[in-house]
Amino acid sequence: MSGQRIKFYQTGSFAVGNRLLKPEQRTVQSDAGRTNSLTTGHRACQGCGEALGARYVLDAVMRATGNRAVTVNATGCLEVFSTPFPESSWRVPWLHSLFGNAPAVATGVAAALKAKGRTDVRVVGQGGDGGTVDIGLACLSGMFERNDDVLYVCYDNGGYMNTGVQRSGATPHGAVTTTTPAGNSFGQGKNLPLIAMAHRIPYVATATVADLRDLEYKAARAMEFHGARYLHVLVPCPLGWRTASDKTVSVARMAVESGFFPVFEAIDGEVTEVTPIRRPRPVADYLSLQGRFGETPAADVVSRLQAEADRNIRSFGLVVE
Amino acid sequence: MRAQIEGSRAVARTVARCRPEVVCAYPISPQTHIVEALSVLVAAGTLAPCEFVNVESEFGAMSVAIGASAAGARAYTATASQGLLYMAEALYNASGLGLPIVMTVANRAIGAPINIWNDQSDSLSQRDSGWIQLYAESNQEAADLHVQAFRIAEELSLPVMVCMDGFVLTHAVEGIDVPSQEQVDAFLPSYRPRQLLDPDAPITIGAMVGPDAFTEVRYLAHAKHLKALEVIPRVAGDFAREFARTSGGLVRPYGCQDAEIVVIALGSVLGTLKDTVDELRSGGVRVGVLGLTTFRPFPYDAVRAALRDARHVIVLERALGTGMGGIVTADVRGSVPAARISTVIAGLGGRPITRAALRELLTGADQLEPLTFLDLKRDVVERELT
């Protein structure tokens, strides 16, 4: 299936299904014949952004590949909540090996398929931000550098949420975690989409669970390319972010609308498309939805994160006059 | 065909004839020549279809092998020393997932201090990783063990490491009969995975297992190793029939029948030991050698049978269990609890084990302490200890 980007600006633009569309333009999730890759009954927390993101990504990948994809998963929430033996929520071929090796294992799967002449089967690796930006970064960079035929998806919730909300290399400045009780004093976190782009891989994209149509589009679009591809999905974690479990989508939307999380696509290391912001919201509005920056975020934290958002708006050209 | 060839190249050619479909490579001395030679064979199209993956670390190498094996490909890699330790987490994973990966370990000391020379600290440190461990006495056996390793691994769905002494074997040029393609094809069927990542029949591999089932999983891993004790000698027997030479198996007794003293060892030192034993036997000393070809699973019964007549067992160890002594000794003691057992730590970090030293050791065996460090420079350690 060729990915087709549909822009909604009218009220209800965030709705998933749209019966007014032609069948081929409808969302993957509105298709009764979708694979339901991550099916119900798993043990994710209420309002889990990762569970939502993973289901959308994989169903879109399965539709794009005609149900010809295998998945490799890093250790983390997604693996733990979906496969308590003898149960499994996966309705796709799925392999878990270790925390830090999902990109390399995916490379091995791709190499095996290539050696066997199986050009019809595609490979998706996935992990959280801990497994991706920290412990798995060397394997991921190797996979990018060799341009292995793998789509790697990082579900970024800004911390080690599976082990009880510790700081990761993707935790934003100022966020309180159990290992940064006074607020994360480090920088802005590793920007893995930019690191991926520096490898000049065919396709890099960012997305959030606030725009599921866009997420489906990007997962499908990624499958149009061969070689190493990277999809970075912002997935709020109610537990770690101290947000209400019904605010997952709203808080993700605010991350985008404040410019704090730029949504874009890059081909061969160059940005080709950005999701524009019509009226940038102050980052303070984004922070106030969460408990992890404290009841009243400190002024220096707010100004530093606002500066980050402003830089994103400038460098990605997010606001179009 | 018999050729004068380096051990590493003989192994690489033999591995190529086993038709691996994915070979992962990360360089480390003294393993490098093996993957270099395989990369040449893949680039030349001699080994096809095969994907050669240049990885960024040994951890990546084993991880690629895991993915490849789970996707139904015959997977191979090689490493040594720190590289094997860097793989350690993935080693346990490969065996836990029941993936029949074959790996060569070019045995080398582990730092600090850094030392690239041969001992067996690396593979012995991974004795409980769930991998079958086979040790080659010669380069001929190193080559032959790889052919057997793929069959053992795939029959049991377990990974196998073939250990060969670094430099002593890997870099030694000698006459080796590299198994021909026809012979290997007749001996080694194509890989049929027990479980497979396949879009036509989706399964979950590597689920999270809690206290309710983990003991059972580990028990089954143990049971597979016990089964390996039957499979390994059977495969060695088949090999001997097909290739008309003996390689592999569980143990290699040499002059053990009437021996009062039996020396147990792994790897290339067995050659020197046999020469020393021949020399001593011609002088009327009743000594024998027991080579351990299979260290994991530990062949308790075979060792017990071979040591039936021995009143003194000397375990010559090329690794140290700090604070304990000999790693292999612990298992030997389990085989023959009543025997007098001495541990001799020898050849660490490439220190030569000479016939003269062995002769002295064996003729003075009665005076042996329970734990001896062969050729220890006492003045050096005493200076440090005082």
Side-chain angles (χ1 to χ4, degrees), chain B residues 114-130:
Chain B
I114 188 166
N115 172 307
I116 64 161
W117 306 103
N118 165 240
D119 66 32
Q120 294 164 346
S121 309
D122 48 3
S123 54
L124 290 178
S125 79
Q126 298 305 313
R127 60 170 196 179
D128 299 329
S129 63

Side-chain angles (χ1 to χ4, degrees), chain B residues 60-208:
Chain B
M62 187 44 60
S63 303
V64 168
I66 286 168
S69 189
R74 186 172 282 167
Y76 170 84
T77 187
T79 191
S81 185
Q82 325 288 141
L84 186 70
L85 266 60
Y86 196 27
M87 276 181 187
E89 186 191 13
L91 291 181
Y92 278 74
N93 192 256
S95 64
L97 292 173
L99 299 173
I101 298 159
V102 170
M103 171 166 67
T104 312
V105 176
N107 284 110
R108 170 186 149 183
I110 298 168
I114 188 166
N115 172 307
I116 64 161
W117 306 103
N118 165 240
D119 66 32
Q120 294 164 346
S121 309
D122 48 3
S123 54
L124 290 178
S125 79
Q126 298 305 313
R127 60 170 196 179
D128 299 329
S129 63
W131 283 59
I132 290 174
Q133 289 197 8
L134 307 175
Y135 286 79
E137 177 179 339
S138 63
N139 275 334
Q140 182 65 63
E141 188 169 49
D144 295 347
L145 281 177
H146 283 86
V147 185
Q148 298 182 35
F150 280 105
R151 250 207 35 198
I152 295 163
E154 288 164 18
E155 210 167 295
L156 291 161
S157 269
L158 269 186
V160 177
M161 65 174 80
V162 179
C163 305
M164 62 190 294
D165 286 322
F167 295 112
V168 181
L169 293 181
T170 54
H171 287 55
V173 175
E174 53 184 308
I176 301 164
D177 192 352
V178 176
S180 72
Q181 191 63 65
E182 295 71 33
Q183 282 176 308
V184 176
D185 285 346
F187 183 80
L188 184 63
S190 56
Y191 170 38
R192 293 199 175 167
R194 190 166 292 185
Q195 52 178 12
L196 183 65
L197 281 178
D198 182 2
D200 293 326
I203 53 167
T204 294
I205 305 177
M208 181 167 180

